[in-house]
Amino acid sequence: MTPPVKRARHRAATQRLTVAMAYWSSVVSGTGTAHAAGPHGVPHNSGSDFILPIGVVVVVCALAAYAYLKRKRRTHSRTTPGGSGAHPEAVPPAAPFDVLDDEARAALVATDEAVRTSAEELDFARAESDAKAVGPFTGALTHARSELATAFRLRQELDEGRPEDESARRGVLAEMTARCDGAGRCLDAEAEAFDRLRALDQDPARAIASAEAAFRELTTRTGAAERTLTGLLRQYAPSASAPVAGFIEEAKDRLVLATTSLNAARQALDAGDRADAAAQVRIAEGAVHQTGVLADAVERRGRALAEAAELLPPLLTACDDQLADQQGELDADSARQERIARARSVLAGVREESGAGPHDPLDASRRAFETAGADAGDAAAPRGRALLDSAVLTARAAIDAADAHIATHGGAVGCRARTRLAAARAHLAQLPDTGSDAPGALSSARAADALAREALDHAEQDVAAYRTPGLAGGAGDGGPVTALAGGIVLESPATDGSRRPGGPPGFGGPATRARRHPSIGPRARRAP
């Protein structure tokens, strides 16, 4: 069946041809004969004598052509078995949902890594330039982070089963990918200007000197963090420091990688290869940055444990008071009485553990405030303040541990861990006003804590499953495995399916962050 728009076009064309026929017919039968003779009635030949028959021929030909095209169009659009025309253009089938889902997850990971790398190199640029010079890049990074946060929120909603309809879920995936693309383009647009600001290819010597100074500082900080970790292991239960237990050894691996890369950068500079020197110094900067992340995480863990130990006694008192109030209000409710009895047993166990020797104050605080249920009471009162302070402290400690793990294992950690971490941060950032909604604030803090611990679990599983077939060395030698798993260098395409170290990432989105390529990648050996 011909669509209405096409029928309208056909009618318009027919009308135009009909008008033309009428005009030429009138010329032939009437007006045209008045011009067949000269002024004195004497017939003569002129150009107009030929116009009339030619016009008739033109009109007839046009009508014939129109009829032919109309018949051909109707034949081609026929869908009956007798139709012999061409088939309508096939509409490509929609991609399977799982394929779109995998693509969206990959886009999230790539964009998150681009944002993290851009923030890292921007910190080095700030140390070399004034605030005004880095202003445009700070703005681009802020916008990219906002887009990425929205994309992670959409991913979390999908993981929670919202929305349920597949077509709506496809729409969410499309928006998620669009947000990632927008964040990446924002950073990509500033990559060239950022390179001009740093001028690594023109003057890598300045960046090398800056990285060497940071390396020396972090060597000292890593030693201090190692002493902190030793004290934590002696003072608290092993679970208290478990999230950061391996961070000192990993920091030392990064220092080895930084040493190797700084030596290679100096050699390239001496040989006149400034492009390779710039790539090697970026590897060194990445290793130095991650050393700082790991050392700082150990120190923050120590401070969080000390604060949790200090808050634990008033927290236990607040929980006791809370349970006493609940018991007085619910004397007739046997189920609630049983819950209160279990809660009192938990609190008794926490008290016994905290007084018996090394324990985990963060875990003890978590177990204690969970006995109070959802009711935080008055946040301005000591009871409510103790509950909320402990809940927020445990959430922040969990977020710090997960973030440090993801930030230093960017090449291995997937989408789930990053999504849960983003959701945990969102819950803590949107903490309701404790004065007006104390129960809501307590609930948000608990949700942030649970999501952050889930993020850490996923991240640790991803790192444990990460493999580098075809590469010599291991994750503890400061070589290519350390660089790849940490995201300090990017993977280079390999036809045999193995992982090969490529160039270091830089400021920019997924389209520009891999623009540097060292002539020799990270070595699978220790520096002498």
Side-chain angles (χ1 to χ4, degrees):
M1 181 177 179
T2 306
V5 174
K6 290 187 176 181
R7 290 201 301 270
R9 290 174 180 170
H10 296 167
R11 285 196 298 270
T14 303
Q15 290 170 359
R16 287 195 295 271
L17 290 171
T18 302
V19 171
M21 284 288 293
Y23 169 77
W24 286 110
S25 297
S26 65
V27 171
V28 173
S29 61
T31 311
T33 58
H35 300 281
H40 304 288
V42 181
H44 66 87
N45 295 327
S46 68
S48 63
D49 294 338
F50 300 99
I51 291 176
L52 299 180
I54 290 174
V56 172
V57 171
V58 169
V59 171
V60 171
C61 290
L63 283 171
Y66 172 74
Y68 170 76
L69 291 174
K70 184 176 181 180
R71 183 170 58 255
K72 184 177 180 181
R73 187 181 296 111
R74 185 165 53 245
T75 301
H76 278 219
S77 62
R78 186 179 302 161
T79 58
T80 59
S84 57
H87 295 288
E89 184 177 351
V91 177
F97 180 85
D98 289 346
V99 172
L100 297 177
D101 192 55
D102 289 343
E103 291 175 352
R105 291 178 186 274
L108 274 171
V109 172
T111 306
D112 189 38
E113 279 299 287
V115 167
R116 288 176 179 272
T117 302
S118 297
E120 171 221 304
E121 191 173 7
L122 185 57
D123 285 342
F124 284 101
R126 284 195 184 98
E128 301 165 354
S129 309
D130 56 52
K132 183 178 180 181
V134 300
F137 313 113
T138 302
L141 181 61
T142 299
H143 177 75
R145 279 174 167 159
S146 176
E147 291 289 276
L148 179 62
T150 301
F152 272 130
R153 176 180 58 78
L154 295 172
R155 177 75 260 174
Q156 180 65 24
E157 291 176 358
L158 281 184
D159 290 349
E160 292 174 353
R162 297 177 288 135
E164 297 182 358
D165 178 67
E166 182 173 322
S167 62
R169 291 172 70 83
R170 285 175 176 270
V172 172
L173 289 177
E175 183 181 355
M176 190 189 312
T177 304
R179 295 281 184 172
C180 290
D181 290 344
R185 285 194 302 269
C186 182
L187 295 173
D188 287 330
E190 299 293 340
E192 185 176 351
F194 186 86
D195 284 347
R196 288 196 299 269
L197 174 67
R198 291 210 71 191
L200 287 181
D201 293 318
Q202 288 73 41
D203 184 20
R206 181 180 60 165
I208 292 173
S210 177
E212 287 174 338
F215 171 85
R216 289 190 292 270
E217 178 194 352
L218 281 164
T219 300
T220 302
R221 285 170 55 191
T222 301
E226 184 172 20
R227 291 189 292 273
T228 298
L229 181 59
T230 300
L232 297 180
L233 292 170
R234 185 170 52 248
Q235 184 176 2
Y236 301 108
S239 62
S241 57
V244 300
F247 279 10
I248 296 302
E249 291 305 314
E250 292 194 38
K252 292 179 180 179
D253 294 341
R254 269 67 171 178
L255 290 175
V256 171
L257 177 59
T259 301
T260 305
S261 300
L262 287 170
N263 289 339
R266 285 289 182 190
Q267 293 169 6
L269 186 61
D270 292 342
D273 190 346
R274 290 182 295 183
D276 186 45
Q280 294 291 349
V281 77
R282 276 296 301 134
I283 297 175
E285 287 177 344
V288 165
H289 169 77
Q290 290 194 11
T291 302
V293 171
L294 293 163
D296 288 345
V298 173
E299 299 290 359
R300 282 198 305 272
R301 190 72 178 184
R303 291 192 295 270
L305 287 168
E307 187 176 354
E310 184 179 347
L311 289 175
L312 187 57
L315 171 63
L316 292 172
T317 301
C319 292
D320 284 335
D321 294 343
Q322 194 84 340
L323 292 175
D325 289 348
Q326 293 176 8
Q327 187 170 20
E329 296 171 359
L330 303 168
D331 288 333
D333 192 331
S334 59
R336 295 295 182 91
Q337 292 289 355
E338 292 177 3
R339 188 193 69 78
I340 292 172
R342 289 194 299 270
R344 289 191 184 283
S345 176
V346 170
L347 294 178
V350 169
R351 279 193 173 89
E352 182 179 355
E353 290 175 9
S354 62
H359 62 288
D360 184 346
L362 286 169
D363 180 66
S365 297
R366 182 179 297 114
R367 290 156 56 199
F369 69 67
E370 285 178 351
T371 64
D375 186 8
D378 182 4
R383 179 196 306 177
R385 190 76 265 162
L387 288 168
L388 286 172
D389 286 348
S390 295
V392 170
L393 174 63
T394 56
R396 284 179 177 158
I399 288 173
D400 284 345
D403 184 51
H405 208 82
I406 293 171
T408 55
H409 299 86
V413 177
C415 183
R416 282 189 177 87
R418 299 168 190 266
T419 301
R420 301 301 180 270
L421 175 61
R425 282 175 166 163
H427 274 285
L428 205 58
Q430 298 168 3
L431 208 65
D433 179 25
T434 56
S436 60
D437 186 11
L442 181 60
S443 177
S444 292
R446 284 174 169 169
D449 177 51
L451 287 164
R453 286 187 289 135
E454 185 180 350
L456 180 60
D457 287 343
H458 285 304
E460 290 176 339
Q461 292 169 16
D462 289 342
V463 172
Y466 185 76
R467 297 290 182 271
T468 52
L471 281 182
D477 67 354
V481 177
T482 296
L484 280 170
I488 298 170
V489 298
L490 303 173
E491 287 187 19
S492 180
T495 58
D496 60 357
S498 63
R499 300 181 189 272
R500 292 286 183 269
F507 184 99
T512 59
R513 65 190 298 258
R515 56 192 178 274
R516 298 192 184 278
H517 302 282
S519 59
I520 301 176
R523 283 76 166 173
R525 66 174 188 272
R526 290 186 181 273

